[in-house]
C-alpha cells in the first residue's frame, strides 16, 4: 500500500509541529522544510486545522502550532481520514473502464480489504506524540530547511 502524498505530508507536518517547542513555523516554513510546493502544504495545513489538530495564526507572532488533540491523534485515524474509504483495488471499474470480470467470485478483494484494515489497525494505537519520541524528535529538529 502506498500513501497519498497529502497523507505523508500531514503526518510529517504534525510530527514537526510536535517538536517545535516555542517556535511557530509558518506554512511557508513547513513547505520549505518538507520540500513541497506551498499550495500543497497550505491545503494539508487547512485540512489539519479543520480537523482541530493544529492552529494557525496570521501576522506577527503567528504561525502554526499543534493542539493537544493533534498531539494525541491516532496515526491510523489520520491515515484513514486522508486516504478515504476507498479499497486497495477497484474491482467495480472506474468511470470509463469495465469492471473486473472476476469480481463476483474472486477472493482477492476480501483478502486485500482485510490486509488494509490490518494495516490501519496496526497504526491505530500510535499517536503523533509516539512518533516523535526519542530518537525521532531530535532528528526532526535537525532537518534543514530547503530554500
Amino acid at each position: 500500500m502506498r500513501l497519498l502524498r497529502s497523507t505523508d505530508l500531514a503526518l510529517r507536518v504534525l510530527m514537526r509541529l510536535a517538536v517545535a517547542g516555542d517556535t511557530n513555523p509558518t506554512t511557508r516554513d513547513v513547505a520549505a522544510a518538507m520540500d513541497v510546493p506551498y499550495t500543497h502544504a497550505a491545503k494539508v495545513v487547512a485540512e489539519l486545522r479543520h480537523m482541530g489538530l493544529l492552529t494557525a495564526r496570521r501576522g506577527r507572532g503567528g504561525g502554526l502550532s499543534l493542539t493537544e488533540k493533534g498531539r494525541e491523534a491516532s496515526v491510523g485515524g489520520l491515515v484513514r481520514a486522508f486516504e478515504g474509504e476507498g479499497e486497495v483495488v477497484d474491482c467495480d471499474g472506474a468511470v470509463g473502464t469495465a469492471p473486473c470480470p472476476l469480481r463476483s467470485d474472486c477472493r482477492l478483494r476480501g483478502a486485500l480489504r482485510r490486509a488494509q484494515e490490518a494495516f490501519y489497525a496496526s497504526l491505530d494505537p500510535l499517536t503523533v506524540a509516539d512518533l516523535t519520541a526519542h530518537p525521532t524528535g531530535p532528528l526532526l529538529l535537525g532537518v534543514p530547511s530547503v530554500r
Side-chain angles (χ1 to χ4, degrees), residues 12 15-16 19 29-30 32-35 136-146:
R12 290 189 293 142
M15 290 170 64
R16 181 60 179 91
V19 298
D29 295 336
V30 168
M34 302 296 174
D35 196 22
T136 305
L139 289 174
L140 283 166
L141 291 172
V143 173
S145 292
V146 178

Side-chain angles (χ1 to χ4, degrees), residues 85-104:
E85 297 298 321
E87 295 192 42
V88 176
V89 294
D90 182 17
C91 300
D92 297 326
V95 176
T97 62
C100 176
L102 302 174
R103 77 179 184 276
S104 62

Side-chain angles (χ1 to χ4, degrees), residues 10-20 66 128 131-132 136 140:
L11 292 168
R12 290 189 293 142
V13 166
L14 293 173
M15 290 170 64
R16 181 60 179 91
L17 292 177
V19 298
L66 191 64
V128 172
L131 295 179
T132 58
T136 305
L140 283 166

Side-chain angles (χ1 to χ4, degrees), residues 11 14-15 17-19 48 51-54 65-79 123-133:
L11 292 168
L14 293 173
M15 290 170 64
L17 292 177
V19 298
L48 292 170
M51 295 168 72
L53 304 177
L54 60 81
S65 59
L66 191 64
T67 64
E68 191 57 35
K69 181 179 177 182
R71 189 172 308 284
E72 297 304 320
S74 162
V75 174
L78 288 166
V79 173
L123 296 175
D124 283 340
L126 292 173
T127 66
V128 172
D130 293 333
L131 295 179
T132 58

Side-chain angles (χ1 to χ4, degrees), residues 20-119:
D22 294 338
T23 64
N24 292 20
T26 66
T27 303
R28 287 202 188 280
D29 295 336
V30 168
M34 302 296 174
D35 196 22
V36 297
Y38 169 77
T39 54
H40 191 61
K43 287 179 190 177
V44 168
V45 165
E47 181 62 26
L48 292 170
R49 184 172 170 237
H50 176 74
M51 295 168 72
L53 304 177
L54 60 81
T55 59
R57 288 181 296 153
R58 292 180 180 253
R60 191 169 192 87
L64 306 173
S65 59
L66 191 64
T67 64
E68 191 57 35
K69 181 179 177 182
R71 189 172 308 284
E72 297 304 320
S74 162
V75 174
L78 288 166
V79 173
R80 279 185 187 92
F82 274 85
E83 293 292 313
E85 297 298 321
E87 295 192 42
V88 176
V89 294
D90 182 17
C91 300
D92 297 326
V95 176
T97 62
C100 176
L102 302 174
R103 77 179 184 276
S104 62
D105 294 320
C106 181
R107 296 171 54 185
L108 179 61
R109 186 179 200 173
L112 290 173
R113 186 179 302 120
R114 288 187 300 278
Q116 181 180 28
E117 190 48 44
F119 170 76

